[in-house]
Amino acid sequence: MKVSGFGNSLSLCTLPLLMMLFLLLYKVRSQSGGGDDKACLSGLKTALQDSRGVLVSWNANNLLTPCFNQTLTQLTGINCNENRIVSILLSSRGLGGTVSSALANCSFLNMVDFSDNQMTGVIPTELGGLQLLATLNLSVNGLTGSIPEDLSNCTYLNVLDLHRNSLTGVIPQSLGYLERLKVFDVSDNDLSGPIPVSLANLSSGAPRFNISSFRGNKHLYGFPLPLPKNRNLSVLAIVGIGLGSGLISLFISFTAVCIWLRVSEQRLAADEGKISQLMPE
Ligand SMILES: *[C@@H]1O[C@H](CO)[C@@H](O)[C@H](O)[C@H]1NC(C)=O
Ligand SMILES: *[C@@H]1O[C@H](CO)[C@@H](O)[C@H](O)[C@H]1NC(C)=O
Ligand SMILES: *[C@@H]1O[C@H](CO)[C@@H](O)[C@H](O)[C@H]1NC(C)=O
Ligand SMILES: *[C@@H]1O[C@H](CO)[C@@H](O)[C@H](O)[C@H]1NC(C)=O
Ligand SMILES: *[C@@H]1O[C@H](CO)[C@@H](O)[C@H](O)[C@H]1NC(C)=O
Ligand SMILES: *[C@@H]1O[C@H](CO)[C@@H](O)[C@H](O)[C@H]1NC(C)=O
């Protein structure tokens, strides 16, 4: 009796312990190397607007095991390696909504492509936490806000394509310190300020990224963009208008003085004439 009672209480005590251990191991395993792919995808899905239903495979059931077998997944646009998500490729899928900061939970990502959609909102600074990110293509969307300086934390970044959005602010100088950066395109945005020398010139003096990377930003200036002709023209125009109006007023006052002199001369002459008529010869 006593022995079996002891046995019962032992199993009662160890069961929760074993369960906790199992859960802990499971958690560690599914999050090996940090991050949380499930939190990442459910955060992304919540923030995206999927009017065409391209993300129907991103249902609650599939999201439980985003990578169900090493490299296999049932989720559209997702690629896995060793049970972790390594790329999210969702270009031209008619997606609206925003880029969720939860994307940073996919800590093994090396490629993200949301290009050619209708996404709005800002580029989350949290993306700077993606230490393996090599390609980020968010081009041809409606993204606003500035380019996060934190992106320069992504030391493996090879491709940063942000062209054709509505990004504002200055280009962070620190992006130029990314040694592996081979493609950089911020053309056709609303960026302003000087182009960082670190992005425009190599130490040899040869341009690192040419004009095609920067054109189409009204208030961006500096090499390799041409000198702002408009500003030079407007300065010339102001000088011209100033000089012109000065000359015109000079001319008008000169003419007025001449006319006045002439009129008074004529009046004088007429008076003299009257006098000479009255004067007997
Ligand atoms: C993973 O998929 C491959 C190919 O489909 C299969 O051969 C292998 O047995 C699967 N492994 C597991 C653990 O399910
Ligand atoms: C997932 O991302 C959210 C938003 O950035 C963050 O608050 C949360 O701590 C992240 N969770 C994990 C497990 O990294
Ligand atoms: C980024 O996406 C756009 C639109 O899908 C594409 O035209 C462009 O080539 C991509 N950029 C790079 C560097 O691959
Ligand atoms: C980027 O690095 C800076 C400096 O180390 C740090 O303060 C910042 O939190 C990092 N950003 C991210 C998103 O990890
Ligand atoms: C960048 O290079 C151009 C052409 O090689 C040169 O004219 C310009 O002075 C350089 N700018 C800086 C800041 O070194
Ligand atoms: C700019 O550089 C790219 C390659 O880096 C090249 O394809 C393109 O023709 C260049 N454009 C100009 C205007 O020089």
Side-chain angles (χ1 to χ4, degrees):
M1 273 302 268
K2 261 190 177 172
V3 171
S4 76
F6 178 72
N8 273 348
S9 66
L10 185 79
S11 57
L12 272 178
C13 286
T14 48
L15 199 67
L17 269 174
L18 279 175
M19 272 174 73
M20 267 176 72
L21 199 73
F22 175 79
L23 278 175
L24 206 76
L25 279 175
Y26 179 77
K27 229 182 142 139
V28 165
R29 200 181 139 75
S30 66
Q31 293 181 6
S32 59
D36 183 343
D37 287 355
K38 276 177 261 177
C40 163
L41 291 188
S42 46
L44 271 186
K45 183 168 167 132
T46 308
L48 288 172
Q49 278 164 15
D50 177 24
S51 54
R52 288 195 213 153
V54 264
L55 301 181
V56 281
S57 61
W58 290 33
N59 56 46
N61 199 33
N62 288 343
L63 286 179
L64 282 177
T65 49
C67 307
F68 67 87
N69 171 357
Q70 296 288 322
T71 60
L72 297 183
T73 179
Q74 284 162 326
L75 304 171
T76 305
I78 303 297
N79 292 288
C80 297
N81 190 26
E82 296 185 26
N83 287 321
R84 292 303 305 259
I85 296 171
V86 290
S87 67
I88 303 180
L89 308 177
L90 290 168
S91 180
S92 312
R93 303 295 189 120
L95 295 170
T98 61
V99 182
S100 169
S101 62
L103 183 59
N105 289 322
C106 282
S107 50
F108 276 58
L109 274 177
N110 68 60
M111 205 182 273
V112 173
D113 189 347
F114 286 128
S115 66
D116 190 25
N117 285 295
Q118 286 90 50
M119 297 174 73
T120 53
V122 302
I123 302 172
T125 55
E126 286 86 348
L127 299 195
L130 293 171
Q131 290 178 16
L132 302 177
L133 193 65
T135 297
L136 182 61
N137 193 345
L138 302 176
S139 65
V140 196
N141 275 293
L143 300 175
T144 51
S146 54
I147 302 171
E149 181 157 20
D150 295 57
L151 285 180
S152 61
N153 290 15
C154 307
T155 42
Y156 288 101
L157 207 58
N158 266 279
V159 174
L160 182 57
D161 193 346
L162 304 175
H163 83 268
R164 218 182 305 162
N165 276 291
S166 301
L167 299 170
T168 51
V170 299
I171 303 173
Q173 173 151 355
S174 54
L175 290 179
Y177 305 146
L178 291 169
E179 285 178 11
R180 294 170 201 250
L181 205 58
K182 293 288 180 299
V183 177
F184 178 78
D185 193 348
V186 295
S187 60
D188 299 314
N189 277 288
D190 286 318
L191 297 167
S192 54
I195 293 174
V197 171
S198 52
L199 285 166
N201 281 14
L202 286 179
S203 41
S204 62
R208 186 173 182 190
F209 298 108
N210 64 25
I211 186 168
S212 352
S213 298
F214 304 103
R215 64 160 60 107
N217 289 281
K218 247 182 278 169
H219 304 292
L220 201 60
Y221 58 88
F223 181 80
L225 291 175
L227 285 173
K229 281 177 194 138
N230 289 346
R231 199 194 285 173
N232 287 355
L233 267 184
S234 66
V235 166
L236 267 184
I238 289 165
V239 169
I241 288 168
L243 268 179
S245 53
L247 280 175
I248 285 170
S249 50
L250 249 176
F251 179 77
I252 288 172
S253 29
F254 188 72
T255 316
V257 168
C258 282
I259 288 170
W260 179 78
L261 274 176
R262 237 195 130 94
V263 165
S264 39
E265 218 170 52
Q266 272 172 2
R267 200 177 285 158
L268 206 73
D271 285 353
E272 265 174 16
K274 267 184 207 157
I275 289 166
S276 60
Q277 262 183 357
L278 284 175
M279 288 283 283
E281 278 179 54

